[in-house]
Amino acid sequence: MTIIIIGGIIFAGRKISFNGKINHVKNEYAQIYTDSNRSDLKDSVTDGKLTNLSHDVNALPSSHEKMDLQKEDTESKHMLSTKESYKKLFTKKQKLKEKVSPKQISKLKEKLKKRKLPNAFLNKYSAKLSSDFNTVKKAKSLSNKYNNIMNIYNIGGSVDTKTVDQLIKDLKKNKKSEKSDKQHGKLVKFRKKLVAEQKAQINAQALAEQQAANQAQAEAEQKAQEKAEKAAEKAAEKAQKEAEEQAELAAQSQQAADASANNSQQSANGDGSATSSDSNNNQYGGTGYSQSDNGNYNSQN
């Protein structure tokens, strides 16, 4: 009796046909794929599982079917190796790791083309790697923008919130990247801090402007008061000067009046003496007598 063990199942006796053995192994392989096109391996497939299937294939008699299964065995191992290499690009949260570079993805994509793989699997992972390449490349570009904003802020430069908002949107779209995801979270927190600081700065500036306006108003009022005081002082000085001038004019006028009065009095006194002399002459009949300095009268005949 011939005993053959395939896939953990014992086939004994001649009643098991060759086609039955082939179909059994084919069915075992069919169970490891996600679909009939062999676009991917199920997550439950391990290296140990493929090793067992490889033994089952090798146990088959030589035939074209065995050669096809050996080819499938090779392809399935390449599929698992590729899938494991691809999984290493990601974190447990299915984010492309921060240290993954575009060059690293390009190398994996080139390696993929050189392996013996089902077309559906090759096309699927080529597309995935192309998308991942763009994600990592975008993450690098966005990271440069992020670092530029942080550098400007750290040296005391002005950061525009519109620029920050746009970068937040771009990072969110690229959150498949661990780097972009982390920087997105940091930038959201930074924006809150930035807005708070800008509000405080605006309030401080408004307060400073108000204080400056108040000071300017106070200085203007002080200048106006000083100007008014100077004007009042000048007006008082002018009034005093005018009063003094008026007083001086009045004094001069009074002095002139007094002088005029004295002159008038003197003139009046002179006229009185002449009249008295004439009267004496007439009293003595005009005989020709005149009064001498000693009071005696002398004859003028």
Side-chain angles (χ1 to χ4, degrees), residues 28-34 40-51 53 76-77 79-80 83-84 87:
E28 287 295 311
Y29 270 104
Q31 299 302 313
I32 68 174
Y33 305 117
T34 57
D40 209 341
L41 293 173
K42 291 179 179 178
D43 292 337
S44 59
V45 176
T46 63
D47 187 61
K49 173 69 174 177
L50 295 184
T51 298
L53 286 175
S76 64
K77 289 177 180 178
M79 289 172 71
L80 182 61
K83 187 171 183 176
E84 289 178 345
K87 286 177 67 176

Side-chain angles (χ1 to χ4, degrees), residues 93-104:
K93 294 182 179 180
Q94 295 304 304
K95 305 285 185 183
L96 278 162
K97 291 180 180 179
E98 191 170 355
K99 293 183 179 181
V100 173
S101 65
K103 185 177 181 180
Q104 184 178 351

Side-chain angles (χ1 to χ4, degrees), residues 22 24 72 92 119 173 183-184 229 279 300:
I22 293 294
H24 175 77
E72 186 170 353
K92 292 181 180 180
N119 288 332
K173 292 178 182 178
Q183 290 180 341
H184 174 266
E229 290 176 353
S279 177
Q300 295 179 349

Side-chain angles (χ1 to χ4, degrees), residues 26-181:
K26 285 183 177 180
N27 184 60
E28 287 295 311
Y29 270 104
Q31 299 302 313
I32 68 174
Y33 305 117
T34 57
D35 54 47
S36 59
N37 292 325
R38 297 192 296 162
S39 62
D40 209 341
L41 293 173
K42 291 179 179 178
D43 292 337
S44 59
V45 176
T46 63
D47 187 61
K49 173 69 174 177
L50 295 184
T51 298
N52 290 335
L53 286 175
S54 181
H55 290 161
D56 292 342
V57 172
N58 292 332
L60 293 172
S62 298
S63 65
H64 290 294
E65 288 83 355
K66 180 178 180 178
M67 292 176 64
D68 290 339
L69 286 171
Q70 286 176 330
K71 178 183 177 183
E72 186 170 353
D73 175 58
T74 300
E75 289 179 348
S76 64
K77 289 177 180 178
H78 286 174
M79 289 172 71
L80 182 61
S81 176
T82 299
K83 187 171 183 176
E84 289 178 345
S85 296
Y86 183 76
K87 286 177 67 176
K88 290 178 181 179
L89 300 176
F90 293 85
T91 65
K92 292 181 180 180
K93 294 182 179 180
Q94 295 304 304
K95 305 285 185 183
L96 278 162
K97 291 180 180 179
E98 191 170 355
K99 293 183 179 181
V100 173
S101 65
K103 185 177 181 180
Q104 184 178 351
I105 294 178
S106 295
K107 285 184 177 181
L108 183 56
K109 192 174 181 180
E110 288 299 319
K111 189 175 182 180
L112 188 68
K113 294 178 181 179
K114 296 177 181 179
R115 286 179 171 176
K116 295 179 179 180
L117 296 165
N119 288 332
F121 181 91
L122 178 62
N123 293 336
K124 177 182 178 179
Y125 277 83
S126 292
K128 287 164 73 81
L129 287 170
S130 294
S131 175
D132 296 336
F133 177 87
N134 293 332
T135 298
V136 173
K137 188 176 180 181
K138 184 69 173 179
K140 184 177 180 180
S141 174
L142 295 176
S143 181
N144 290 337
K145 292 181 180 180
Y146 172 85
N147 292 331
N148 185 48
I149 288 175
M150 292 296 104
N151 289 336
I152 291 174
Y153 175 79
N154 290 333
I155 63 175
S158 177
V159 177
D160 184 12
T161 53
K162 291 183 179 179
T163 302
V164 175
D165 289 340
Q166 184 59 52
L167 185 55
I168 287 175
K169 291 179 181 179
D170 293 340
L171 287 169
K172 186 176 182 179
K173 292 178 182 178
N174 205 53
K175 287 183 72 174
K176 186 180 178 182
S177 162
E178 181 185 28
K179 179 181 289 186
S180 292
D181 187 43

Side-chain angles (χ1 to χ4, degrees), residues 212-231:
N214 292 340
Q215 184 176 356
Q217 183 178 358
E219 290 176 354
E221 291 175 353
Q222 179 67 25
K223 288 181 180 180
Q225 183 178 354
E226 291 175 355
K227 185 176 181 180
E229 290 176 353
K230 287 182 179 180

